[in-house]
Amino acid sequence: MTESPNPQAVRLDYGKDGLHLDLEGLNATVLRPQYVKGVPDEKAAFVKALRHPIGAEPLREIIAADETVAIAIPDITRALPSDRLLPWLLEELGHVQSENVTIVVGTGTHRANTREELAMMVGQAIVDRYRIINHDARDSSTMRRVGRSQFGYEVHINCDYVEADRRILMGFIEPHFMAGFSGGYKAVFPGLADLEAILEYHGYDNIAHPLSTWGILEGNPTQAHVRAGGSLVSVDFLVNVTLNSERAITSFFCGDVIDAHMAGCRFSKETAMAGVNRRFPVVVTTNSGYPLDLNLYQAVKGMTAAHAVTKPGGLVIAAAQCANGIPDHGAFRRQLCRYASPRDALRAIRTPGFAEIDQWQTQKLNQILLECRIQLLSEINPNTVRSVHLDPITDLRRAIDDELSRLGDKDAPVAVLPEGPLTIPYIR
């Protein structure tokens, strides 16, 4: 972690172009992840990781020429550079015919990705040559029952993934606000799971548990559900990467789904988590820019990161473009608008029998709102922002100055997370 006290200005990750924030005269501390250079030759490093994996045989030796292969990738809301990784991966699997390969987009409960978005995600050449499908958690006809989770509920997984002879998971590792870290089995659970199982895994008690938070794997019930559900179908190979703020790949973690993931989580914790000595009355955050700040649903992650070091009763100022709005699909907006207060929303969600899509994100946001206020700079209509219990703003520096005036202390400390949840602060 790098900590810059009293800088004069900072660039915030916002959409594709970013924002400039003037910090002159403020008692500001900028929190960034430890900068790690991208590997100098990504393709060469990737091929080496595939041929000398962690806890597994080389990928080419695992998959025979006549076998079918399912490759699970994240959707448009994740920053994995699939457009670089997939061509290199498929080149390594050149002995497998293209018609034997299916790329399954792990949408979880998100909407399907358009053909144009798929071309941006993986490249037009891959779209033209390979079969690509969007998982649909609501369509039972596209899934197969794979067993019962150790936590007591049935799990169904995408048929194309289950019925393949070999299965590969792709993703990137960063601290996650519920599961501890992303990556690993998350590509399949919840990425390729059925809606009912996803709702069980995102139950109120799991999300409310104090260990369901950034950077914690041991004892984290959310991560335990991920691994229990994802492991009901065997995984042959994991391809996980870590990224820096420039979206360059800093390391590869390939091989056994647990061993490689654990190695990547250790690396991520060392470079992406920032210890501080105090809480701040004002914290400015982003959601890491495009594509992670496409909507308010995703932007809750940046707010959660800021909340970790915000004083009770303090202010979180979030800059997230939200070009896709709340969004319109799913139940997130409806849930936020339905209840008169955060306390009412949480009381409803914890009621036995309550089970709705997106309730986990609603729960997280309302937990924050019980303890602090949130102002949002975005492209969402201000009236819509107010309808979900947030305060719309149009000028970040003015918002900071207004809050310091309200506090009666122009020298009150302000924390800034310019890269949002790419930096996860915590109290030492």
Side-chain angles (χ1 to χ4, degrees):
M1 183 273 292
T2 59
E3 182 174 320
S4 303
N6 300 319
Q8 297 301 301
V10 67
R11 181 191 179 278
L12 304 180
D13 288 348
Y14 180 89
K16 294 181 179 179
D17 299 325
L19 288 176
H20 174 87
L21 176 60
D22 175 20
L23 298 176
E24 186 174 358
L26 297 178
N27 179 15
T29 298
V30 177
L31 301 172
R32 299 181 184 274
Q34 176 184 323
Y35 182 75
V36 180
K37 291 183 178 180
V39 296
D41 186 334
E42 290 183 343
K43 181 179 180 181
F46 184 41
V47 171
K48 181 178 180 180
L50 297 180
R51 297 179 182 180
H52 302 278
I54 300 169
E57 296 298 314
L59 180 62
R60 287 194 301 185
E61 297 179 14
I62 292 175
I63 300 176
D66 60 347
E67 290 183 306
T68 57
V69 181
I71 304 173
I73 67 169
D75 69 2
I76 189 69
T77 65
R78 301 297 187 263
L80 182 72
S82 301
D83 57 335
R84 308 202 297 273
L85 295 173
L86 267 176
W88 301 335
L89 176 69
L90 293 167
E91 186 177 322
E92 187 73 0
L93 294 176
H95 59 292
V96 179
Q97 296 297 312
S98 59
E99 56 266 28
N100 283 353
V101 175
T102 299
I103 299 166
V104 189
V105 182
T107 55
T109 61
H110 303 166
R111 65 167 175 81
N113 291 213
T114 66
R115 187 170 179 84
E116 292 75 18
E117 288 172 332
L118 291 174
M120 288 193 329
M121 289 161 52
V122 304
Q124 190 63 52
I126 298 295
V127 171
D128 292 340
R129 184 176 179 187
Y130 292 91
R131 179 171 178 253
I132 305 177
I133 63 168
N134 285 294
H135 173 63
D136 184 349
R138 299 161 185 80
D139 186 353
S140 59
S141 69
T142 65
M143 283 175 278
R144 174 186 290 183
R145 181 188 179 277
V146 295
R148 191 173 182 84
S149 169
Q150 68 185 66
F151 296 102
Y153 51 87
E154 300 294 318
V155 177
H156 295 74
I157 300 293
N158 184 278
C159 283
D160 287 276
Y161 175 82
V162 173
E163 294 170 1
D165 297 320
R166 299 292 181 178
R167 289 166 286 276
I168 299 171
L169 303 183
M170 298 184 68
F172 77 102
I173 298 173
E174 64 175 352
H176 188 274
F177 71 137
M178 291 185 288
F181 291 91
S182 61
Y185 276 118
K186 279 186 103 279
V188 59
F189 192 90
L192 303 179
D194 66 294
L195 180 58
E196 288 75 16
I198 294 173
L199 289 171
E200 290 280 356
Y201 138 73
H202 281 110
Y204 184 92
D205 290 340
N206 283 344
I207 304 308
H209 196 285
L211 295 182
S212 285
T213 190
W214 305 101
I216 295 177
L217 293 176
E218 188 68 31
N220 183 326
T222 303
Q223 181 66 218
H225 278 254
V226 169
R227 292 183 175 183
S231 61
L232 289 172
V233 183
S234 63
V235 174
D236 295 284
F237 206 82
L238 179 74
V239 174
N240 275 180
V241 304
T242 49
L243 306 171
N244 64 21
S245 58
E246 297 160 353
R247 304 294 191 266
I249 297 170
T250 57
S251 194
F252 292 94
F253 302 93
C254 302
D256 177 77
V257 67
I258 291 293
D259 292 347
H261 184 238
M262 292 295 289
C265 292
R266 288 191 293 270
F267 179 84
S268 179
K269 187 166 188 175
E270 291 170 0
T271 58
M273 299 195 71
V276 296
N277 295 323
R278 61 182 176 185
R279 295 183 182 274
F280 297 80
V282 182
V283 182
V284 180
T285 187
T286 73
N287 209 57
S288 306
Y290 179 88
L292 302 179
D293 71 348
L294 273 171
N295 56 53
L296 181 64
Y297 177 93
Q298 295 298 332
V300 173
K301 295 175 182 176
M303 298 170 188
T304 306
H307 171 247
V309 291
T310 304
K311 282 186 174 182
L315 175 65
V316 171
I317 302 175
Q321 188 175 43
C322 300
N324 288 349
I326 298 296
D328 291 334
H329 64 273
F332 185 54
R333 178 174 181 170
R334 183 173 67 251
Q335 289 166 2
L336 293 177
C337 296
R338 181 189 303 164
Y339 304 104
S341 70
R343 197 172 302 279
D344 289 342
L346 292 173
R347 186 181 298 116
I349 293 171
R350 73 182 305 172
T351 302
F354 187 99
E356 292 184 6
I357 187 173
D358 298 336
Q359 69 182 64
W360 45 91
Q361 215 82 342
T362 302
Q363 180 178 340
K364 276 291 187 182
L365 180 56
N366 282 294
Q367 285 174 339
I368 299 171
L369 286 169
L370 280 185
E371 299 181 13
C372 61
R373 293 162 293 126
I374 301 176
Q375 295 180 348
L376 177 66
L377 176 73
S378 73
E379 293 184 354
I380 302 174
N381 182 283
N383 290 330
T384 301
V385 174
R386 293 186 190 95
S387 74
V388 297
H389 309 295
L390 307 181
D391 297 320
I393 58 172
T394 57
D395 187 300
L396 290 173
R397 178 57 194 258
R398 185 184 305 135
I400 296 171
D401 290 339
D402 288 348
E403 180 65 9
L404 296 181
S405 294
R406 190 189 72 83
L407 293 171
D409 183 2
K410 293 289 188 181
D411 200 42
V414 176
V416 182
L417 282 66
E419 293 153 20
L422 293 184
T423 312
I424 306 304
Y426 64 94
I427 305 299
R428 290 192 181 100

